[in-house]
Amino acid sequence: SYEAFDDEEVPTPVFSDLDLELPYGMVSFVGQNATGKSTALLLASGRLRPDSGVVTLLGRDTSELDDEEERNSLASFVYQNMEFETEFPVVDLFAHVFENGFHEQKDAAIVEELIAVLELSGALGSRLQDLSKGEMQRSILAFSLLYGSGAVMMDEPIFALEDYQKQRALEYLKDFSHRTATPVYFSLHELDLSRLYSDHVVMFYHDERNPC
């Protein structure tokens, strides 16, 4: 995959000769800006396709995932700085996402769990565009788990949260990953939180002699 470039510039590879197998569990991607964390998540989730080589997602070649619903069933993706405008309140959206998601066994208790853990009871009657940045981000975290995809991938999903909310969210995500055997992959700048809540940490760095 390549970085954006001007007409006069030669494209710079983000990764070269990368051979990586991501472990299961709660896995954080850590590194400085522009080292490829977001690109790696987008490639792993099938949202980007490599210029060469093969990427597999839960055993499926991502180049074959032309159907959006099939791709979403394999991996949900939380982008950095996601924002939405909706006609319906958050409570209706939670119900719709859960009822139309991919959970093999639907236990409605997860909806109440997420509302409590992510402190969203006060946001349920509001539309997404009327929420604060922190409420919006916590709601999107809830959507990603209610969807029931085989894997969950998130790019800086907690930057807008208070410190204690970050810890509550990550603790729940780790428990959810272990309890449901759902791999959770996320990028994070806070190294201390990565150490505390991750089963595995993937470090990214830029090599001036070779791309990451």
Side-chain angles (χ1 to χ4, degrees):
S1 184
Y2 289 91
E3 297 175 343
F5 60 95
D6 297 330
D7 290 340
E8 291 112 16
E9 295 178 348
V10 176
T12 302
V14 178
F15 300 113
S16 180
D17 300 321
L18 177 67
D19 186 2
L20 175 65
E21 182 175 351
L22 294 176
Y24 277 69
M26 184 79 164
V27 183
S28 60
F29 289 16
V30 175
Q32 295 180 329
N33 290 334
T35 53
K37 302 186 300 296
S38 298
T39 301
L41 284 168
L42 290 167
L43 286 167
S45 65
R47 271 59 179 182
L48 284 181
R49 292 181 178 177
D51 296 292
S52 62
V54 176
V55 175
T56 59
L57 170 61
L58 301 180
R60 291 293 308 277
D61 185 338
T62 59
S63 67
E64 299 174 353
L65 298 177
D66 295 321
D67 181 76
E68 184 178 5
E69 183 172 340
E70 182 181 17
R71 184 187 64 193
N72 290 340
S73 73
L74 293 173
S76 61
F77 197 99
V78 175
Y79 294 87
Q80 194 175 64
N81 273 325
M82 293 180 77
E83 293 186 358
F84 300 95
E85 291 191 4
T86 61
E87 178 182 354
F88 301 102
V90 169
V91 65
D92 291 348
L93 297 176
F94 282 174
H96 178 78
V97 170
F98 180 68
E99 291 167 6
N100 294 278
F102 301 100
H103 291 281
E104 291 184 3
Q105 296 181 343
K106 292 187 181 294
D107 183 356
I110 188 176
V111 180
E112 297 304 322
E113 285 180 7
L114 287 167
I115 290 170
V117 169
L118 299 175
E119 300 180 333
L120 289 168
S121 59
L124 297 178
S126 301
R127 301 174 303 171
L128 286 174
Q129 63 266 34
D130 298 325
L131 302 180
S132 69
K133 185 64 177 178
E135 288 173 330
M136 171 79 78
Q137 197 167 63
R138 299 198 306 276
S139 296
I140 291 170
L141 281 174
F143 290 141
S144 70
L145 301 189
L146 293 173
Y147 205 43
S149 303
V152 178
M153 303 195 185
M154 304 179 290
D155 190 4
E156 291 293 338
I158 59 171
F159 72 89
L161 305 189
E162 300 289 340
D163 287 343
Y164 81 93
Q165 292 174 335
K166 293 179 180 181
Q167 295 182 43
R168 282 170 62 93
L170 291 172
E171 184 176 5
Y172 185 86
L173 283 167
K174 186 172 183 178
D175 176 71
F176 175 87
S177 175
H178 292 177
R179 176 161 40 99
T180 64
T182 303
V184 175
Y185 305 106
F186 61 103
S187 64
L188 204 62
H189 279 104
E190 294 96 330
L191 190 57
D192 288 342
L193 290 178
S194 294
R195 288 197 189 103
L196 189 59
Y197 294 105
S198 301
D199 297 312
H200 308 278
V201 176
V202 181
M203 299 293 296
F204 288 76
Y205 70 96
H206 185 72
D207 187 341
E208 294 295 336
R209 297 165 299 177
N210 298 290
C212 291

